[in-house]
Amino acid sequence: MKVYKIFKDSIGQYEAVKQGWSWPAFFFEGIWACVKKMWGVGIILIILSIILSFFNFGAEKLVSMNPAFAIFLPFLFLIGITIKILMGAYGNKLREKNLINRGYQYQEDAKVIFAQNPQAAVAQYISEYKK
């Protein structure tokens, strides 16, 4: 069972946000952010990913042109890994803030919902708290 927080917008649509680590945000950070309608974050992460990939794939050529560039390669790798870890750890919190900015309200009557998936969490919330 996973732990979810429930958010509701002004027209009655519900969103369930899983609490804790997000594997999709870790592996597919930019795409995940765009799927979750966090367009600015998603585009920035995709651009960063492209830039880091350019340097990683072109590293051999860049080092052959200037051997001093080899010093920076581990830092580029660390930047990429750090972005992934931060998105995995804080992606769901970022999504909560995005929902609130889009007009959703946290449903405080149910502090957390235990369910298998987001759809089940919303269904459970509606059946238990909105009778």
Side-chain angles (χ1 to χ4, degrees):
M1 291 275 211
K2 299 170 187 157
V3 178
Y4 291 90
K5 283 186 179 178
I6 306 296
F7 293 82
K8 180 182 174 186
D9 72 358
S10 61
I11 60 172
Q13 292 181 333
Y14 290 94
E15 290 280 339
V17 179
K18 184 176 143 308
Q19 299 302 290
W21 183 265
S22 174
W23 286 109
F26 175 78
F27 286 113
F28 311 105
E29 59 277 341
I31 295 169
W32 176 84
C34 288
V35 167
K36 299 300 182 183
K37 298 180 183 172
M38 296 186 287
W39 306 110
V41 172
I43 290 170
I44 289 170
L45 289 171
I46 289 171
I47 290 170
L48 274 172
S49 179
I50 291 169
I51 290 169
L52 290 172
S53 296
F54 169 76
F55 282 114
N56 286 330
F57 289 124
E60 185 177 323
K61 188 172 185 176
L62 289 170
V63 170
S64 68
M65 290 171 33
N66 185 357
F69 187 73
I71 295 169
F72 297 105
L73 292 179
F75 294 111
L76 294 175
F77 176 76
L78 286 175
I79 290 170
I81 293 297
T82 302
I83 290 170
K84 287 186 165 298
I85 291 171
L86 288 173
M87 285 304 294
Y90 298 107
N92 288 328
K93 289 287 184 193
L94 189 62
R95 182 163 180 241
E96 286 179 12
K97 288 180 182 178
N98 178 262
L99 286 172
I100 290 169
N101 289 340
R102 289 178 30 217
Y104 282 76
Q105 292 182 338
Y106 171 55
Q107 302 300 295
E108 293 187 24
D109 52 350
K111 295 295 182 196
V112 292
I113 299 287
F114 294 92
Q116 292 291 338
N117 56 51
Q119 296 82 7
V122 168
Q124 181 181 340
Y125 173 78
I126 291 171
S127 70
E128 289 182 17
Y129 293 96
K130 295 298 170 190
K131 292 182 181 179

